[in-house]
Amino acid sequence: MPQPRVFITRHLPGPALDFLKEKCRLEVWPGELPPPPPELRRQAAISDGILTLLTDAVDRPLFGAASDRLRVVSNMATGYDNIDVKAATEHAVLITRTPGVLSETTADFAFALILVVARRVVEADRYVRHGRWQTWGPETLLGCDVHDATLGIVGMGGIGRQVARRARGFGMRIFYNSRTAKPGLERRYRMQLVDLDRVFAESDIITLHAPLNPETRGMVNQGRLRLMKPSAVLVNTARGPLVDHAALHAALKEGRIAGAALDVTDPEPLPADHPLLSLENVVLTPHIASASIATRSRMAMLAAGQLVEALEGRPPRNVVNPSVIPRWRERMRESGGYGQKSAEMPFISP
Ligand code: DGY
């Protein structure tokens, strides 16, 4: 049985590439930057599967260019807003993603940003380094308390609930907003489902954990920012386009809110002359909320395992477009598939 050909859009951490090498004929994009779209389309035309990152545009032209042999796109991310799922479904290509394995690590980082922006840690570091610190001052760099504050969590998926778990330890009052109520979690973390405007109006700290889709794009707009308390801070570790950056810049500059911490921006990276970069009360990090050694290895391994499962004819667990499975099965049958052996994934301890 010939081995499937797969294209991986970046070098991956951990054992994922060795695992794939045993199962597939592999081509790994050598660059640090994503492959340019024409190269990705060229690869789609000659591959059975592709492993992509959130920076790869898996769009309609790509599916148009893909040959009949493309069966699966395995995205190494929990979000999949870089993928045109409708076009994939029309072409009977399975799309998979990697939820769950990064929730704890991303929640750790969201909490780090909550503490850093509320207590002005980055500003304080600059204050010391730039020689401005002369003496202990009763009014120097006053921030907001995190313990006992009201936390507003927007989005209550795997990451949102891990943030709530951490917030309990800080004795926080928790509001959340989500498409569906989570009564079990409400009891466990003593939190309350409220509408989005109330999250913005009554929280001291707002943290975003919603997926990017047409409903959520720009949800943090001028109107919502105007609802926030002047002492409140905004944290975004989800997706940049959830926030209207021009409106956020105005709110921060005019002191209508106290601060923001953004691990994600629109675009990524921000251009060097972007006005947000000149503000003291903004903390910016380069989309690293899931970037622990263990978690990135787990994400890579899950993406690799799901790629192999799909190529061996077994629908993986985290399929984004399950409606496509019957047609995808038919395509696998017609082509004879790539063997029935189960993909034994090396164990990576949590
Ligand atoms: C994801 O998985 O969607 C994250 O943004 C990557 O850390």
Side-chain angles (χ1 to χ4, degrees):
M1 187 81 65
Q3 284 192 318
R5 181 189 194 281
V6 304
F7 179 61
I8 318 292
T9 64
R10 225 70 53 79
H11 190 269
L12 303 177
L17 287 179
D18 287 339
F19 166 73
L20 283 170
K21 265 180 213 151
E22 292 195 353
K23 312 271 177 186
C24 315
R25 280 182 296 128
L26 212 59
E27 182 166 345
V28 182
W29 178 249
E32 210 182 299
L33 294 177
E39 174 61 14
L40 199 52
R41 288 198 287 273
R42 190 183 75 79
Q43 292 290 346
I46 56 173
S47 300
D48 301 289
I50 308 181
L51 193 153
T52 51
L53 309 186
L54 55 89
T55 45
D56 299 313
V58 183
D59 51 11
R60 185 168 284 280
L62 179 139
F63 291 106
S67 72
D68 230 19
R69 64 192 276 191
L70 186 68
R71 300 284 188 269
V72 53
V73 175
S74 176
N75 208 37
M76 184 184 138
T78 190
Y80 52 92
D81 45 280
N82 58 313
I83 299 182
D84 187 332
V85 177
K86 191 163 178 278
T89 305
E90 283 166 21
H91 286 80
V93 175
L94 277 191
I95 304 297
T96 66
R97 66 188 189 109
T98 61
V101 290
L102 48 66
S103 300
E104 296 267 15
T105 300
T106 303
D108 284 350
F109 197 78
F111 233 88
L113 289 186
I114 287 171
L115 289 161
V116 158
V117 69
R119 295 300 310 275
R120 303 175 63 182
V121 175
V122 176
E123 274 179 86
D125 179 84
R126 282 195 290 260
Y127 182 78
V128 173
R129 280 176 205 273
H130 296 166
R132 297 204 296 269
W133 185 28
Q134 296 191 18
T135 184
W136 186 90
E139 291 183 303
T140 302
L141 287 161
L142 303 185
C144 316
D145 279 327
V146 173
H147 70 272
D148 296 344
T150 298
L151 177 68
I153 305 177
V154 179
M156 196 40 72
I159 300 167
R161 73 189 59 183
Q162 291 303 336
V163 171
R165 186 162 80 86
R166 284 154 179 74
R168 288 301 310 151
F170 279 76
M172 298 174 96
R173 177 182 183 212
I174 309 173
F175 287 146
Y176 79 101
N177 181 269
S178 165
R179 265 183 314 175
T180 51
K182 316 275 180 192
L185 294 176
E186 282 176 30
R187 278 192 298 277
R188 189 177 318 156
Y189 301 127
R190 283 186 254 150
M191 57 186 190
Q192 190 184 344
L193 176 65
V194 299
D195 67 42
L196 210 46
D197 285 352
R198 188 161 172 215
V199 169
F200 278 79
E202 294 188 32
S203 302
D204 300 307
I205 296 158
I206 297 162
T207 181
L208 306 181
H209 302 288
L212 176 64
N213 57 42
E215 277 162 48
T216 60
R217 184 177 287 275
M219 60 156 46
V220 184
N221 53 22
Q222 193 185 55
R224 293 235 159 80
L225 289 163
R226 281 192 192 283
L227 295 173
M228 287 174 68
K229 303 177 191 178
S231 55
V233 298
L234 176 75
V235 173
N236 190 5
T237 53
R239 285 292 182 268
L242 298 179
V243 178
D244 175 338
H245 284 31
L248 177 64
H249 173 259
L252 288 162
K253 190 156 186 211
E254 291 159 19
R256 281 189 278 109
I257 68 172
L262 309 175
D263 183 48
V264 289
T265 54
D266 183 23
E268 287 180 8
L270 290 175
D273 60 351
H274 195 284
L276 277 174
L277 294 170
S278 65
L279 297 181
E280 276 286 318
N281 52 351
V282 184
V283 176
L284 294 156
T285 52
H287 203 150
I288 53 164
S290 66
S292 75
I293 297 165
T295 289
R296 286 287 169 83
S297 298
R298 273 197 292 265
M299 289 168 71
M301 201 54 229
L302 180 56
Q306 296 192 130
L307 186 73
V308 169
E309 281 177 329
L311 291 170
E312 290 186 347
R314 289 167 296 116
R317 186 203 251 188
N318 303 297
V319 174
V320 170
N321 53 348
S323 68
V324 93
I325 289 175
R327 277 168 57 223
W328 165 82
R329 272 195 209 285
E330 211 163 292
R331 290 184 66 202
M332 293 299 288
R333 246 194 324 270
E334 278 165 12
S335 66
Y338 282 104
Q340 320 306 323
K341 282 202 298 337
S342 75
E344 278 167 31
M345 292 164 56
F347 177 73
I348 303 173
S349 61

